[in-house]
Amino acid sequence: CVLKLKQSRSPLAKLLDHLLKALEKRDPHQFFAWPVTDDIAPGYSSIITRPMDFSTIRQKIEENEYHLLTDFIEDFRLMCDNAIRYNHHETVYNKAARRLLQAGMRLLQPENLTRGPVAIF
Ligand SMILES: CC(=O)c1cc(-c2ccccn2)c2ncccn12
């Protein structure tokens, strides 16, 4: 069998993996874990032209598709904005997306990346 050599993770990939894990903890119901399908959300793919979810973000980290922290933050915001736009204001999904976005922006703002137990800069 051909052994697939595990590429050594880039420092950015290690950082993004750590941040992704912290963000996933703020989605306890796993509403954002997997792509939203038209089966569970009628008409979703016609309304949301750029879908995003945590599993896709993880795949992009593993395939080194993020070159900057801002690219990762953009996908996280896109994921939350999609849910805020598709779901009516009072639904669990819209509320969860607004909470997740707030928590994520606090975690990802520069001063919080340079302070606390996991200061990374
Ligand atoms: C994120 C989102 O918009 C979403 C996740 C879900 C979801 C996610 C996991 C299990 C069940 N539903 C969902 N269901 C209906 C309408 C929208 N959603």
Side-chain angles (χ1 to χ4, degrees):
C1 68
V2 177
L3 286 176
K4 188 173 182 300
L5 291 177
K6 188 139 180 65
Q7 293 146 328
S8 63
R9 307 287 300 276
S10 73
L12 180 63
K14 287 192 189 111
L15 163 65
L16 298 183
D17 197 60
H18 170 81
L19 294 174
L20 176 60
K21 285 189 174 85
L23 293 170
E24 286 174 322
K25 285 197 181 86
R26 311 304 295 258
D27 175 32
H29 301 288
Q30 298 205 308
F31 291 151
F32 301 92
W34 306 104
V36 180
T37 62
D38 284 340
D39 294 341
I40 62 167
Y44 191 85
S45 58
S46 328
I47 296 163
I48 299 299
T49 52
R50 293 178 63 218
M52 190 49 62
D53 68 285
F54 280 136
S55 73
T56 303
I57 291 175
R58 178 170 300 288
Q59 190 178 353
K60 288 179 75 171
I61 294 171
E62 279 154 18
E63 287 165 13
N64 289 317
E65 287 186 41
Y66 294 118
H67 302 129
L68 296 170
L69 176 57
T70 46
D71 301 335
F72 170 86
I73 295 173
E74 256 172 49
D75 271 355
F76 171 71
R77 286 195 71 99
L78 169 65
M79 181 183 77
C80 297
D81 289 345
N82 286 342
I84 292 166
R85 283 179 28 243
Y86 174 82
N87 300 285
H88 292 302
H89 199 69
E90 70 288 346
T91 59
V92 286
Y93 306 115
N94 185 301
K95 286 180 182 154
R98 281 180 277 135
R99 279 167 61 95
L100 180 60
L101 182 59
Q102 281 302 317
M105 287 303 116
R106 269 198 301 275
L107 176 82
L108 295 166
Q109 65 190 15
E111 60 269 27
N112 288 344
L113 292 174
T114 56
R115 269 209 324 254
V118 285
I120 48 172
F121 292 121

